[in-house]
Amino acid sequence: MATVKGSVWEIGVEDIVAAGLPPEEARRFHSRLRGAVGKEPRLGAESEAWRAVVDTGLLRPDHPHPLHQLVYYSVYSTWDRALRGPPPYWFPSLSQSKYTNLGKLMEHHGPKILGSSYHDPLTSFALFQKFSALHPEVYWSIMIKELSVVFQSAPTSILDTSDNSNASGTWFPGAVLNIAECCIQPVDFQKKTDESAAILWRNEGFDDFPINYLSLKDLRNQVMSVASALEKIFMKGDAIAIDMPMTCTAVIIYLAIILAGCIVVSIADSFTSNEIAKRMEVAKARGIFTQVFVTRFSAMTSFFEEKERFHFTDHSRVAKSTPCIAIVVPALGDDVGVQLRDHDMPWKDFLLSAASFPSIQCDYLPVYQSGDRVTNILFSSGTTGEPKAIPWTQISPIRCAADSWAHIDIRPGDICCWPTNLGWVMGPILLYSCFLNGATMALYHGSPLGRGFGKFVQDASVTMLGTVPSLVKYWKSSKCMERLDWSNIRVFASTGEASDIDDDLWLSSCNFYKPIIECCGGTELASSYIQGSLLQPQAFAAFSSPSISTGLVIIDERGIPYPDDQPCVGEVGLFPVYMGATNRLLNADHKKVYFDGMPTYKMSTLRRHGDIIQRTVGNYYVVLGRADDTMNLGGIKTSSVEIERICNKADENVMETAAVSVRSRTGGPEQLVVLAVLRNGSANCHPDFLKAKFQKAIQNHLNPLFKVSFVKVVPEFPRTPSNKLLRRVLRDQLQQEHFTFGKL
């Protein structure tokens, strides 16, 4: 970390040399810095000074990070966040705002909707957002025309709220379509033709080879061939799981399942056999697609034979989890290379079962269904320890694609890359955000942790790079992305967990401080409820607005909403009429989970999301944690109960455990802390010994990606009069003890 000065005007040549520049270059930099910010200090001009630094391009991606730290933190050293909110690092221009997706829509429709109150996309953004939340049917009647959504039977209206049992409303009632077909057809107004690039990809280890290319026509033919093969084995409406890394083949399978009128069951590729079995059973899946080997972390990992990153066993992960048919895809070539069960099928044999394979043209008639038919079952952990099965309908993809259109500004011709997985909500969100907006999806078949991924971003000319904060932290610390050219990126995006200010500073600096659109939402919403926007100044590790058409309030401990725009901290409550949100769960009481116990606001019961958020001065938002006991580890939501159940059995000396997550003062990802109460006579059981035991148990029985950061032995846990464990008290105590992870 660079030594921060009292202001940017106090930075001297010697400070710049200490930050990593040679003396002669440091003198030139100092001269240009003074020219940008002015020679004399100006009180209260921090944001103007930083904007001048960015606009002149003074700080370059090839400059050492300590230099970026020196300038940014010195510029804002006197900035009082309590009085002024988070300091902005990116500023929209009026001229450029009118070329964004949402800016163009506002310029065209704003005067009609808002009348004389409309001025321009920047001045009127907050007013337009509020209007869209209060009159969502008006916004969505406009928005639907911006996506490549084609109805076979048009909806009778945009929104029907007559069904009192459906608090979110019935959206596009009467509509008949196939949302997968909408992804693979040419679209004139998006200039998406059969020759357009649908997917770009590269395999790890082939980093100096040309980028692979799949045209829209080739994608459509392959999706239709797989859909045709599916009909030979499955019936319309069958649930079929995908347990694969997010490869080109996985995307084809996902679209084909929906094209054939079946339901995708999303299972993350990191899950153990027990976790796969739970999801297969809940979804009543009839089959599963899996991959034999996946290259991750420089090791060949077998999905089908249970050769995991951290341990090896002799049994098949998928075979152990389900008796259903498994269709097994090789990572490279045609041979799966392992012994399959008698009723399983290699990918090659599966494709040959399609009458059209391997013909160049496949004419397959999609299965058209009502908009409310389920197309995808995803899972999100609750506080009970059981994963919630969340059904997405054909309407859910419209929501996530529209959010990406409005907030991340994904446009036709964009090349979008976001390391993720179809087992998590970001996988389907990325897929639909690309294909319904006329953009190209860029997939790296391998680990995003190494330089090979960054080179792929460079070589594929990626224009939108999505990230997870833990990934950014690794890139920054490992310096693996140095000297790469990411100049084609015009916008970053981040989701999955809380961002760290300095990590965001590093990421944005990789291309002359392009904006990072922070996104926070949920699987059950098919979207983010708060996000950044290219029509507002952006601050690191903060959200600038509720998403378009989302209404929310922040409620205090008594359930009373704070006044709009007042700085406050409390639980977020969402307006119940929410386009794209689920109205049922497959294995839980939807009303109990999302509505029971929530206060009413303007005659309607608010929808629960569970986040504790802060609204700052300046109307930025910061997520502080969960109101319940769900935690977010590496972008994966899990519950304390799940972790405790496993840790309680990890060692005979342990009587009980409590799992909580905490963050450092500067923000950043949540870190897992396990507190343990030991049995009598076990006082000498060392925390490091328990940490190793807990880590191994969690990897074997829950998720190999979860990392225990710290273990603390305590005499007892705080409890309520009814003996419920007070994890929030434990979490607060840990935060007050000033734990700084990495120095525990």
Side-chain angles (χ1 to χ4, degrees), residues 408 417-418 464-468 472 489 491-495 507 515-519:
I408 305 176
C417 182
W418 202 321
M464 190 288 292
L465 178 60
T467 64
V468 176
V472 176
I489 297 173
V491 62
F492 295 96
S494 179
T495 193
L507 180 64
I516 304 169
I517 302 301
E518 300 280 352
C519 310

Side-chain angles (χ1 to χ4, degrees), residues 243-258:
D243 180 14
M244 296 175 61
M246 193 159 177
T247 62
C248 192
T249 300
V251 170
I252 290 168
I253 293 168
Y254 182 97
L255 290 169
I257 291 172
I258 297 172

Side-chain angles (χ1 to χ4, degrees), residues 383-561:
T383 57
T384 62
E386 289 298 318
K388 296 194 298 289
I390 299 171
W392 270 24
T393 69
Q394 298 205 87
I395 303 303
S396 308
I398 298 174
R399 175 67 194 229
C400 59
D403 270 11
S404 298
W405 181 94
H407 287 269
I408 305 176
D409 198 45
I410 293 181
R411 312 171 184 174
D414 267 334
I415 299 172
C416 305
C417 182
W418 202 321
T420 185
N421 187 273
L422 288 169
W424 302 115
V425 68
M426 261 318 303
I429 286 178
L430 175 64
L431 185 152
Y432 289 118
S433 295
C434 289
F435 295 149
L436 294 181
N437 283 309
T440 299
M441 179 188 294
L443 300 174
Y444 185 68
H445 296 179
S447 170
L449 291 174
R451 186 176 180 82
F453 173 80
K455 188 173 185 299
F456 170 71
V457 171
Q458 168 189 282
D459 295 350
S461 300
V462 167
T463 60
M464 190 288 292
L465 178 60
T467 64
V468 176
S470 295
L471 194 56
V472 176
K473 184 177 292 293
Y474 181 84
W475 291 343
K476 185 186 78 170
S477 64
S478 68
K479 300 182 180 180
C480 64
M481 302 303 178
E482 286 187 349
R483 305 293 174 178
L484 289 173
D485 180 4
W486 285 4
S487 59
N488 286 296
I489 297 173
R490 63 181 184 85
V491 62
F492 295 96
S494 179
T495 193
E497 54 189 347
S499 292
D500 178 86
I501 292 172
D502 195 66
D503 294 342
D504 271 2
L505 175 71
W506 175 87
L507 180 64
S508 183
S509 74
C510 287
N511 189 17
F512 294 97
Y513 290 95
K514 291 298 190 292
I516 304 169
I517 302 301
E518 300 280 352
C519 310
C520 179
T523 307
E524 76 282 359
L525 300 176
S527 64
S528 298
Y529 70 91
I530 49 175
Q531 297 192 73
S533 171
L534 297 184
L535 302 182
Q536 296 175 297
Q538 296 301 296
F540 289 130
F543 310 85
S544 61
S545 174
S547 62
I548 298 296
S549 83
T550 296
L552 64 81
V553 293
I554 300 174
I555 53 181
D556 64 19
E557 293 180 351
R558 299 167 297 168
I560 299 174

Side-chain angles (χ1 to χ4, degrees), residues 673-677 687 710-714 717 733-734 737 739:
V673 177
V674 180
L675 298 100
V677 175
F710 184 69
V711 170
K712 183 179 182 181
V713 176
V714 296
F717 295 144
Q733 289 173 349
L734 288 169
E737 290 172 15
F739 283 115

Side-chain angles (χ1 to χ4, degrees), residues 234 239-242 265 280 284-289 322 324-327:
F234 301 101
I240 307 168
I242 300 176
V265 180
M280 293 288 287
K284 297 180 173 59
R286 301 291 301 275
I288 183 169
F289 284 87
T322 176
C324 296
I325 181 174
I327 299 163

